[in-house]
Amino acid sequence: MFNTILDNIIIILLTLVSLFTSKSLALFIVAAGLLMVLVTYESFNEEKSKALFSLELILMTFFAVLSGGFAGFIVFFLLKSVREYIRITLGVCLFVITTLLIYKNMSFAMCIVKTLVLAVAFLLLMLIYYLVERMEKKKKREDERLTASNVSELHEKRLNEQLVMQNFLAEKNARLMERENISRNIHNSVGHSITAAIMTLDAADVLYDVRPEEARKRMNDANNRIRGSLESIRRAVRVLDEDSVEILSGDLKCEMENIINEFVMDTSIRVDQSFSQLMDDIKIPHDHAVFLTGALQEMLTNGVKHGNASEFVVIILGDSAHIRLEVSDNGQSDFDSSNSKSRIENGFGVKKIISYAEKCGGKTEFVNDNGFKGMIELPIVFAG
């Protein structure tokens, strides 16, 4: 755009300089005006057609000849469709021819001088346009650099916003996982203890008039159960601050044996256990241990509550890569393939068991065939 303005300024200056030398002033001004229109049009039209080039060449020739002096021939500098040396040659040669044919009163020496002045004028204009073009390129590079800087800054800002949002979501998910862990631990530990306490109080109520001493003992057991439930709640809240990230499988087996013994004392239900297939020195993630003990309590209680089971078999086995818990009973349950999905979705404990196993890359299986059987298998992987 700036070059177009310069082109039109050159045409105006050449017109003003030639006003006193032109032989046909009206035609000369018309040619100048048409040439300005054509140069401006060319700046908005990227495609250079042969017809447009021919028209431009004819108008410049008329302008140069009608100018009446050598200055008008500088207009050939604006013929941008050809190379610089061709423009110079065309302007100088046409001036010499016109001088010899039309301006016959000009001496040969003066013709040579004006030809050299014409060539120098071409070179000066080329130098001016070169400097202008260089300034435009520099400004364009600066604008591009500024644009790139702004784009980079905007991109970085968006990345920072995304990072803040991701951190927020990660923190939110961590809080949700904390709540889920706490709710699962409270449900697994406290729910079963309170259920056992209620069953003990019911038995004490039946024995109160017949055997008051035994009833009192049962009431004391229930009281201890409730106190233990309170401690379980505190332990569930503290579980996320647990320093130990692993325990030995032998300790896990002892904890499960305690759970089974308490269950047998509370319900007088037979429980056969097989823990020999799991070595005592295998390291297990602490979270897995908490989860598996809670799952054992869940399946024992559900077997009595929903299936009226009178006998259980608990098997735990594994190696350094996996650990597996199986609990089966002889209870009568309506759990089958047709209603398993809805029963799992509506069952808080079983749903939590499946959710935890899937998150850890493990698997679960629940079947009802001559009694109910639940299987949980977890991979032994330590974070970090």
Side-chain angles (χ1 to χ4, degrees):
M1 186 63 183
F2 190 69
N3 284 342
T4 304
I5 297 174
L6 282 178
D7 292 346
N8 284 313
I9 291 175
I10 290 174
I11 294 173
I12 293 172
L13 290 176
L14 293 176
T15 303
L16 292 175
V17 170
S18 303
L19 284 177
F20 302 102
T21 58
S22 176
K23 304 299 182 180
S24 301
L25 187 59
L27 289 176
F28 176 67
I29 293 176
V30 170
L34 292 175
L35 195 56
M36 290 178 66
V37 172
L38 187 60
V39 168
T40 304
Y41 172 76
E42 275 193 317
S43 65
F44 295 101
N45 186 18
E46 295 182 356
E47 296 183 1
K48 307 292 184 181
S49 64
K50 292 182 178 179
L52 193 63
F53 173 76
S54 300
L55 179 60
E56 186 179 27
L57 184 60
I58 292 171
L59 280 174
M60 288 182 177
T61 303
F62 270 105
F63 181 90
V65 173
L66 292 174
S67 67
F70 79 95
F73 290 87
I74 298 175
V75 77
F76 284 100
F77 171 78
L78 304 178
L79 194 65
K80 304 292 181 61
S81 301
V82 295
R83 295 182 178 276
E84 291 84 352
Y85 68 88
I86 296 178
R87 283 181 261 167
I88 296 176
T89 304
L90 185 62
V92 170
C93 291
L94 191 58
F95 169 71
V96 172
I97 293 171
T98 304
T99 300
L100 294 175
L101 295 178
I102 299 176
Y103 310 143
K104 295 181 180 180
N105 56 344
M106 186 180 298
S107 64
F108 181 75
M110 184 59 68
C111 180
I112 295 297
V113 170
K114 289 187 176 182
T115 299
L116 293 175
V117 172
L118 183 61
V120 171
F122 269 100
L123 293 174
L124 288 175
L125 283 175
M126 288 179 182
L127 178 60
I128 292 172
Y129 270 75
Y130 170 75
L131 294 175
V132 170
E133 185 177 358
R134 187 174 178 181
M135 290 175 59
E136 285 189 335
K137 287 182 178 179
K138 183 178 179 181
K139 184 177 182 300
K140 184 178 180 181
R141 287 196 300 268
E142 184 65 23
D143 291 342
E144 289 177 349
R145 187 192 65 79
L146 185 61
T147 301
S149 177
N150 291 336
V151 170
S152 177
E153 184 177 353
L154 181 61
H155 181 65
E156 184 177 355
K157 183 178 179 181
R158 288 181 177 175
L159 285 178
N160 289 335
E161 291 176 351
Q162 291 177 358
L163 182 61
V164 170
M165 181 60 67
Q166 289 175 356
N167 290 337
F168 171 77
L169 293 176
E171 185 178 350
K172 183 178 179 181
N173 290 334
R175 290 198 302 267
L176 290 175
M177 290 185 66
E178 287 181 10
R179 293 177 183 176
E180 183 177 346
N181 287 336
I182 292 173
S183 65
R184 183 181 64 247
N185 292 337
I186 291 176
H187 174 267
N188 290 342
S189 300
V190 180
H192 298 88
S193 296
I194 292 178
T195 300
I198 292 173
M199 295 172 63
T200 303
L201 288 173
D202 289 340
D205 183 57
V206 173
L207 296 172
Y208 186 77
D209 294 328
V210 182
R211 288 179 284 180
E213 289 301 323
E214 186 174 348
R216 182 182 297 277
K217 181 179 179 301
R218 297 275 181 133
M219 292 172 64
N220 290 333
D221 290 341
N223 184 37
N224 292 332
R225 286 282 189 180
I226 294 174
R227 291 179 183 275
S229 298
L230 180 60
E231 180 60 29
S232 296
I233 294 176
R234 292 171 178 164
R235 186 169 54 251
V237 173
R238 295 195 308 266
V239 72
L240 294 175
D241 297 326
E242 179 65 41
D243 293 332
S244 176
V245 296
E246 61 187 37
I247 68 170
L248 293 176
S249 55
D251 295 333
L252 173 63
K253 289 158 65 173
C254 290
E255 180 64 22
M256 287 190 168
E257 287 176 355
N258 292 334
I259 292 173
I260 292 172
N261 292 335
E262 289 185 4
F263 177 78
V264 171
M265 286 189 297
D266 292 335
T267 62
S268 299
I269 292 177
R270 180 181 175 183
V271 178
D272 293 329
Q273 62 189 52
S274 176
F275 295 168
S276 60
Q277 298 183 60
L278 179 65
M279 301 295 292
D280 291 343
D281 57 352
I282 295 176
K283 294 180 179 180
I284 300 171
H286 175 266
D287 290 343
H288 281 10
V290 174
F291 166 74
L292 289 173
T293 54
L296 175 60
Q297 291 175 320
E298 175 74 22
M299 288 189 280
L300 290 174
T301 302
N302 284 346
V304 176
K305 184 176 179 182
H306 300 295
N308 294 320
S310 60
E311 186 175 341
F312 288 86
V313 176
V314 179
I315 301 173
I316 184 168
L317 63 158
D319 50 33
S320 59
H322 297 83
I323 184 168
R324 178 175 178 138
L325 172 66
E326 296 180 3
V327 180
S328 56
D329 61 52
N330 63 349
Q332 301 296 319
S333 173
D334 60 350
F335 184 95
D336 55 35
S337 58
S338 63
N339 62 12
S340 60
K341 183 177 180 180
S342 61
R343 291 290 296 275
I344 290 173
E345 289 178 350
N346 295 326
F348 183 85
V350 176
K351 185 177 180 181
K352 289 291 182 180
I353 291 174
I354 295 175
S355 175
Y356 181 89
E358 290 179 349
K359 287 179 181 179
C360 297
K363 61 182 179 180
T364 58
E365 183 180 353
F366 299 96
V367 295
N368 186 26
D369 184 16
N370 295 323
F372 188 80
K373 179 180 180 180
M375 184 280 296
I376 304 167
E377 184 174 300
L378 302 176
I380 298 178
V381 179
F382 294 96

